[in-house]
Amino acid sequence: MTSELSTGTATEPPQEAGVRTGRRPGARLPAYLRPARPGMVGHYLSLAVVWSLLPASQRLDGASLATLLAFLLGEVCLVAAAVAFDDVTGYRGGSDAANHGPDAPARALARKPLPAGTLTEAAAVRFAWCALVAGCLCWTAALVWVPHRPWWAVLVLVAAAAVVVPQYSWGLRLGYRGFQEVFLAVVGWAFVLPLFGLLTGEATGPAAVEAFLFGLGPVLVGVYSDTHDAEGDRAVGRPVAACLLSLNGNRRFIGALSVLETTAIVTAPLLGFCPWWFPLAFVPLKATRVLQFTVGMVRGDVLRGRLIGIRAHRILVVTLVAVNLAMTGLA
């Protein structure tokens, strides 16, 4: 659900023989872990943002910490399910082999266990369904002991777990209907605002602004991945912005996303959601965004631009946490 969501059309697997004969004994556990993307922690950092948004008296409350832990485990499982389903779809269509194969050495084929032959298609599908069920159970447990259950927060979580995650590249295959960038932003938003609502019973202005900013982080990683993978995605009919727009149009679109991020930061104090100094805290983030765009779009090193985007998202989270602690007090 970050830039890891690279899909393909559902055709016959081009490298089935490699899957049947290429798996190494004892490699099953690492192969199962790869679809979970344990190194991609961008979405999971939402817990730090939500925790810092809580009133100081609630941050060490047992019920709140238990809810955060259950929600985190659910996030990990649901993201793993979405990525595993996506890997199967990308493998069937051949886009993963094209985008991560020998002709693309910067992106190791081993990151994709199906074309690499370290995991069978059936095993990946089983893993995806098991991860989905586990994620739903974790979020159900969180709903049992949360102090509040506003209808909108519960509705968003149920929709995310039961409809959006399994249907992104499986079933309805929402990732093929367009607006993938909006989808990534909404997922990031859903990992912040509903949880905050469950813990506090409300959706405040600062929480809404920070959820919006957090959601833009994965988008500003994914658009660089999509730019790199545009040829393969275009061949399988995946309607991401990089495939639908011209090269210059895609650059302008990515630049506009960064401008949108800046607009949200500057507007928050004007709306009374945050203190006047709120935009000043994000100067390092915006400097990193300028570097990301320069390297990725101007110089054309899109994969390095993607890496800078991952770092920028972490800078965003650190900034949000620091700002929240300053606004609400450390204790």
Side-chain angles (χ1 to χ4, degrees), residues 234-256:
R234 189 177 292 112
V236 299
R238 188 164 172 255
V240 297
C243 296
L244 299 175
L245 301 174
S246 65
L247 181 61
N248 287 332
N250 187 50
R251 286 174 180 165
R252 287 192 290 268
F253 172 69
I254 293 175

Side-chain angles (χ1 to χ4, degrees), residues 98-143:
N99 293 331
H100 299 263
D103 57 339
R107 308 181 76 180
L109 185 64
R111 291 175 64 247
K112 294 288 186 175
L114 288 171
T118 57
L119 195 66
T120 65
E121 181 182 333
V125 173
R126 285 195 301 269
F127 171 84
W129 282 112
C130 290
L132 178 65
V133 171
C136 291
L137 290 176
C138 288
W139 278 11
T140 299
L143 289 174

Side-chain angles (χ1 to χ4, degrees), residues 43 46 183-194 211-212 214-216 218:
H43 277 106
S46 61
F183 172 87
L184 289 176
V186 169
V187 169
W189 168 79
F191 282 171
V192 175
L193 197 57
F212 181 78
F214 185 87
L216 280 178

Side-chain angles (χ1 to χ4, degrees), residues 2-10 86 89-91 93-100 103 107 112 168-169 173 175-178 180-181 184 221-245 250 303:
T2 61
S3 56
E4 298 305 311
L5 295 181
S6 253
T7 60
T9 53
D86 193 73
T89 303
Y91 170 71
S95 62
D96 279 354
N99 293 331
H100 299 263
D103 57 339
R107 308 181 76 180
K112 294 288 186 175
Y168 176 78
S169 55
R173 297 173 67 183
Y176 286 88
R177 311 299 179 185
Q180 183 214 9
E181 296 78 14
L184 289 176
V221 175
V223 289
Y224 284 82
S225 289
D226 291 341
T227 299
H228 178 270
D229 296 342
E231 184 176 347
D233 289 339
R234 189 177 292 112
V236 299
R238 188 164 172 255
V240 297
C243 296
L244 299 175
L245 301 174
N250 187 50
L303 289 184

Side-chain angles (χ1 to χ4, degrees), residues 51 56 59 321-322 324-331:
W51 177 84
R59 291 186 189 131
V321 171
N324 291 335
L325 294 179
M327 289 194 299
T328 60
L330 297 175

